[in-house]
């Protein structure tokens, strides 16, 4: 095993896939000599040259449009949008073109396109650069949605995304780029989509969280363990496909469910998890399901206010207690 950062995992995954397959190309704003605005992709331009690693104009529409075109004509493009929030200006190309071309062509056209984006609150980037946007894409049939939160999952899922013949939305949390973790020290590490990871085992309450909220859930689980409550923490890793089987098995064991999201409450992925559990596993529940979400709809520029609005371990502890005490 090797210990690397989430930032290192991104560049390693791209390096390994570009070395494996000459059809893999990579482009976006400042991803070449500059190594990306978050310095996530250094060295790729020097190793693979300007034909396969290209800087683009500051135009998300141009980046996504070129990516879709490259994908349908035989390449395996990986494109980078600097902030996931900026995908809003490209939704027609993502939702109405990339997501639907395979279906509309009767399977004759494949769209092996990976769209990497940085999302989430961190560092006071303000209202237009700090949203968690996964729910935008979950509602578009034809897209796969990855939300990895560890170096090993970023490495394995990004490699799987590049090899997939369908468009994949690959969301990286900008606040996690410096976090470190173990990864297999070989080039064959793949994480399949649609397989959740049980981060911590427990028998009293199931907590489902992704990305930075997994760490929040684990801190809450430590606090609750001191009170005699053992939480099972599950990281879905991908939201489309969503591994409801693992979550349902856990709820059948614990009888309680709490979801922890950094995004706003309305239409969040936690609502989908809760809906499926109440529809298919309601007789396993021994208390109310509780969702923990962002404290407001618009994220402020002020870092103290931003931190105040983000879900914390104390919020998760309170949610667990509410489920158990009802």
């Amino acid at each position: 095993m090797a210990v690397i950062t989430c930032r290192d995992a991104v560049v390693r995954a791209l390096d390994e896939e570009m070395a494996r397959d000459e059809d893999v190309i990579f482009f976006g704003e400042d991803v070449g000599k500059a190594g990306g605005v978050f310095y996530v992709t250094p060295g790729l331009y020097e190793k693979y040259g300007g034909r396969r690693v290209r800087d683009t104009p500051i135009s998300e529409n141009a980046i996504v449009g070129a990516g879709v075109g490259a994908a349908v004509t035989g390449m395996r493009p990986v494109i980078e949008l600097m902030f996931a929030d900026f995908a809003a200006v490209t939704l027609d190309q993502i939702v109405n073109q990339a997501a639907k071309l395979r279906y509309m062509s009767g399977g004759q056209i494949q769209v092996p396109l990976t769209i990497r984006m940085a999302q989430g609150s961190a560092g006071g980037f303000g209202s237009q650069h700090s949203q968690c946007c996964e729910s935008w894409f979950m509602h578009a049939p034809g897209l796969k949605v990855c939300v990895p939160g560890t170096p090993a999952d970023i490495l394995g899922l990004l490699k799987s995304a590049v090899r997939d013949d369908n468009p994949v939305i690959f969301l990286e949390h900008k606040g996690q780029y410096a976090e470190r973790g173990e990864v297999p020290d070989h080039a064959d590490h793949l994480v399949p989509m649609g397989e959740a990871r049980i981060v911590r085992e427990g028998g009293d309450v199931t907590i489902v969280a992704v990305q930075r909220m997994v760490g929040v859930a684990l801190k809450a689980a430590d606090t609750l363990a001191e009170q005699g409550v053992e939480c099972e923490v599950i990281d879905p890793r991908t939201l489309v496909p969503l591994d409801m089987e693992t979550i349902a098995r856990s709820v059948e064991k614990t009888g309680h469910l709490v979801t922890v999201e950094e995004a706003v409450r309305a239409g969040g992925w936690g609502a989908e998890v809760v809906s499926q559990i109440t529809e298919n596993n309601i007789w396993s529940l021994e208390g109310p399901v509780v969702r923990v979400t962002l404290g407001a709809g618009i994220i402020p520029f002020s870092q103290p206010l931003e931190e105040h609005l983000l879900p914390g371990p104390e919020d998760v502890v309170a949610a667990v207690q509410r489920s158990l005490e009802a």
Side-chain angles (χ1 to χ4, degrees):
M1 303 291 284
V3 177
I4 64 175
T5 65
C6 291
R7 178 181 283 109
D8 297 331
V10 173
V11 71
R12 176 173 155 182
L14 293 175
D15 185 18
E16 290 177 358
E17 290 307 297
M18 294 183 79
R20 188 187 67 87
D21 186 348
E22 290 188 353
D23 287 336
V24 178
I25 58 176
F26 174 52
F27 54 91
E29 297 171 24
D30 294 325
V31 301
K33 292 182 179 179
V37 65
F38 297 108
Y39 202 60
V40 177
T41 55
L44 294 177
Y45 177 84
E46 289 76 11
K47 185 172 183 178
Y48 295 103
R51 188 181 69 86
R52 296 181 63 192
V53 179
R54 299 193 179 196
D55 288 327
T56 66
I58 305 175
S59 171
E60 286 75 23
N61 274 321
I63 297 168
V64 175
V68 174
V72 300
T73 52
M75 306 299 288
R76 288 191 174 273
V78 179
I79 63 176
E80 178 181 305
L81 301 185
M82 194 178 294
F83 293 93
D85 317 60
F86 298 167
V89 301
T90 73
L91 285 182
D92 177 65
Q93 294 183 83
I94 295 175
V95 171
N96 286 326
Q97 309 304 325
K100 295 179 174 63
L101 282 172
R102 188 167 188 174
Y103 170 79
M104 294 175 67
S105 69
Q108 297 179 81
I109 296 175
Q110 296 179 341
V111 190
L113 170 65
T114 301
I115 306 177
R116 291 183 45 248
M117 309 182 227
Q119 72 166 4
S121 299
F125 279 97
S127 304
Q128 298 172 328
H129 302 73
S130 304
Q131 300 167 91
C132 284
C133 305
E134 58 271 354
S135 295
W136 295 359
F137 307 106
M138 288 178 67
H139 200 63
L143 299 177
K144 297 184 177 182
V145 182
C146 297
V147 284
T150 67
D153 288 343
I154 290 172
L155 175 62
L157 276 173
L158 184 51
K159 288 166 66 71
S160 293
V162 174
R163 300 183 191 191
D164 202 291
D165 289 331
N166 301 285
V168 178
I169 303 298
F170 197 88
L171 296 162
E172 301 154 13
H173 198 295
K174 68 174 76 72
Q176 292 189 293
Y177 278 138
E179 292 183 9
R180 304 177 68 84
E182 289 187 337
V183 299
D185 197 15
H186 57 75
D188 298 321
H189 173 61
L190 293 172
V191 173
M193 298 185 197
E195 289 190 12
R197 180 171 64 97
I198 299 177
V199 184
R200 176 183 177 134
E201 294 188 352
D204 296 323
V205 180
T206 299
I207 303 176
V208 184
V210 300
Q211 296 190 320
R212 273 212 314 185
M213 292 298 105
V214 173
V216 170
L218 288 172
K219 289 180 180 178
D222 288 339
T223 298
L224 288 160
E226 296 173 358
Q227 305 171 12
V229 177
E230 292 298 331
C231 299
E232 184 147 286
V233 179
I234 297 176
D235 178 359
R237 303 194 287 192
T238 64
L239 297 174
V240 181
L242 178 60
D243 183 4
M244 284 303 304
E245 291 185 5
T246 296
I247 297 171
R249 282 197 303 269
S250 179
V251 172
E252 288 171 1
K253 176 175 65 174
T254 66
H256 298 273
L257 173 63
V258 171
T259 62
V260 189
E261 307 165 70
E262 186 177 319
V264 296
R265 179 172 293 270
W269 63 260
E272 177 63 24
V273 171
V274 168
S275 174
Q276 291 202 37
I277 289 294
T278 54
E279 182 176 358
N280 301 311
N281 306 90
I282 192 168
W283 302 116
S284 298
L285 292 170
E286 300 173 4
V289 293
V290 184
R291 293 177 60 204
V292 179
T293 61
L294 189 72
I298 297 178
I299 298 165
F301 178 76
S302 164
Q303 283 189 258
L305 287 177
E306 177 185 66
E307 290 297 322
H308 175 71
L309 293 175
L310 292 175
E314 65 283 356
D315 300 306
V316 181
V317 169
V320 169
Q321 291 172 338
R322 176 185 165 196
S323 182
L324 291 172
E325 293 170 359

